Amino acid sequence: MRVQPGKAPDTGHSALAAAVTANMDRFSVPGVAVGVLQNGETWTVGFGVTNVDHPLPVTPDTLFQIGSITKTVTCTAVMRLVEQGLIDLEAPVRRYLPDLRLQDEDVAARVTMRHLLTHTAGWLGDYFDDTGRGDDALRRIVERMAALPQISPLGSVYSYCNSGFYLAGRVIELVTGEPYETAARRLVLEPLAMEQSFFLPEEVMIRRFGTGHLVVGGVPQVAEPWAVERSTNPLGGLISTVADLLRYARFHMDDGTTPTGDRLLSAESIRVMQTPQVRGFYPLDHVGLTWRLKRVGPVQTVSHGGATKGQQATFVMVPERGFALALLTNADQGGALGNEMTDWALEHYLGVKKPALTPLDVAPGDLVSYVGTYESPLSDRELSIQDGYLMLQLRPKGGFPSVDTPPGPTKPPVRMALWDEDRVVCLDDPMQGECGEFLRGPDGDVIAFHLGGRLSPRSAR
């Protein structure tokens, strides 16, 4: 696909613009909005089109679904409520929701907001369902969480848990007496002047917005449905622009003050959100309160990504350098573009480079212990051996944005290589550079595979 780029203003960012458009072509991404915050100055630009069927030029003001970056907004709202004395991160969630029911009663009695915000609750994370568009959407989906299986012990390991943010959003509703969206707007969006950030489709449809695309055989096709279920708003429902995300970055790098200089969060709360809480899996070092933390050379990156139906978002901050990158795309391969541009931006703007991972010289027989199927709610991960490489085949199962959503297209398999003990790196597009890690049980056998933040148990079959 040949991308028709937008025109970047001559502000010294022309090399970034060229790199973005080159990678749009490489990954077949129809549209991108990108923004940079550096030395107190912002730069934003759009490239390509909003929709391959009904194309409009992408501009810096084009709205995109930012997916799970929303989780950090939910956490920011929670921290405001912590400072107001309405939420205690260490208190059992049942203090706020006495009738909470989960499959494991002991977990239901002990789970805290900190567990939710660090993805350590341990139950099935990728659960999505349609509970309607009313103000009771969160209440209803939290009730359905009683059926979710417990995958790992409470607090034992980081495994990305979307469903935990249903509960976090519901707690916000209960302590404020407002629908989640109203509370998030009052507590975070309005004070930060994020005036082009919305939760509801009816707010977006009167503005220019990007439509998601699934890339099939190198050709982007419009993805349906466009909207996510309302229940998912606390974990991935925000629609925003790169300019608003850079305002948000400035807040989280300026110790919690608003554009008018008012203090919204204490510097201590900002610090706690960016402080390691639990160990991550490579390439993450740790997870803070929702933020993903990784050291690249001499600098600490604070980041989060987001994915919805055919839209992928990248958001990276380097607070010690006052630098942030926001990149919004309208294709399911946009995350690969975001990873490429993150590495590029860190090297070209800050002079720091991610270390290269050197594949180990491993005999095929040493790979046999990893072969098998690893089960995940949205897509199983099948591993086999071919030509001396581990081959990863993702098998989509559907289930997003609603439980009855059919599976998307099956992508070609990609090669993986060991680069450290029980650690692998993908070698082929669109997953090139993505890393995974295997977990072993007490007897030394491989029992799970951690990829894309998710812990996938090994199938017994």
Side-chain angles (χ1 to χ4, degrees), residues 7 37 39 76-77 141 160 213 216 221 236 275 317 361 406 420:
K7 196 162 226 188
L37 171 63
N39 300 324
T76 303
I141 202 157
Y160 201 73
H213 297 78
V216 182
Q221 303 175 1
T275 296
M317 302 183 295
D361 186 11
D420 196 0

Side-chain angles (χ1 to χ4, degrees), residues 23 67 198 246 266 450:
N23 280 287
F198 309 97
L246 294 183
S266 68
H450 203 282

Side-chain angles (χ1 to χ4, degrees), residues 26-30 212-221 223 308-312 330-336 378-382 391-397 407-415 428-432 434:
R26 172 183 172 188
F27 295 112
S28 303
V29 176
H213 297 78
L214 304 179
V215 179
V216 182
V219 179
Q221 303 175 1
T308 60
K309 187 75 169 180
Q311 299 196 47
Q312 301 249 348
N330 59 356
D332 61 345
Q333 296 186 168
L378 300 184
S379 65
D380 287 344
R381 294 93 188 268
E382 296 178 359
M391 299 298 295
L392 169 65
Q393 178 66 72
L394 300 180
R395 299 288 184 191
K397 297 162 70 174
T410 299
K411 305 285 187 181
V414 298
R415 296 172 302 155
D428 302 316
D429 285 342
M431 297 180 67
Q432 185 177 24
E434 195 165 333

Side-chain angles (χ1 to χ4, degrees), residues 293-456:
L293 309 176
K294 177 185 177 182
R295 193 150 201 92
V296 181
V299 301
Q300 176 76 38
T301 64
V302 179
S303 69
H304 213 293
T308 60
K309 187 75 169 180
Q311 299 196 47
Q312 301 249 348
T314 300
F315 184 61
V316 183
M317 302 183 295
V318 184
E320 65 198 83
R321 299 283 189 92
F323 177 84
L325 171 73
L327 188 143
L328 307 179
T329 77
N330 59 356
D332 61 345
Q333 296 186 168
L337 187 155
N339 291 338
E340 286 284 327
M341 297 319 306
T342 296
D343 294 344
W344 188 98
L346 292 177
E347 181 176 359
H348 287 77
Y349 284 99
L350 304 183
V352 298
K353 189 171 183 178
K354 184 174 73 174
L357 303 181
T358 303
L360 300 175
D361 186 11
V362 179
D366 294 332
L367 300 175
V368 172
S369 63
Y370 304 115
V371 170
T373 298
Y374 299 82
E375 297 181 332
S376 181
L378 300 184
S379 65
D380 287 344
R381 294 93 188 268
E382 296 178 359
L383 294 183
S384 60
I385 300 175
Q386 183 177 323
D387 298 329
Y389 291 99
L390 275 175
M391 299 298 295
L392 169 65
Q393 178 66 72
L394 300 180
R395 299 288 184 191
K397 297 162 70 174
F400 177 80
S402 185
V403 69
D404 57 356
T405 301
T410 299
K411 305 285 187 181
V414 298
R415 296 172 302 155
M416 295 195 308
L418 283 170
W419 63 273
D420 196 0
E421 184 177 2
D422 291 337
R423 289 179 167 181
V424 289
V425 59
C426 295
L427 303 178
D428 302 316
D429 285 342
M431 297 180 67
Q432 185 177 24
E434 195 165 333
C435 293
E437 185 169 342
F438 295 95
L439 277 70
R440 296 182 181 269
D443 61 0
D445 290 340
V446 174
I447 60 171
F449 182 36
H450 203 282
L451 180 72
R454 276 79 170 170
L455 186 66
S456 301

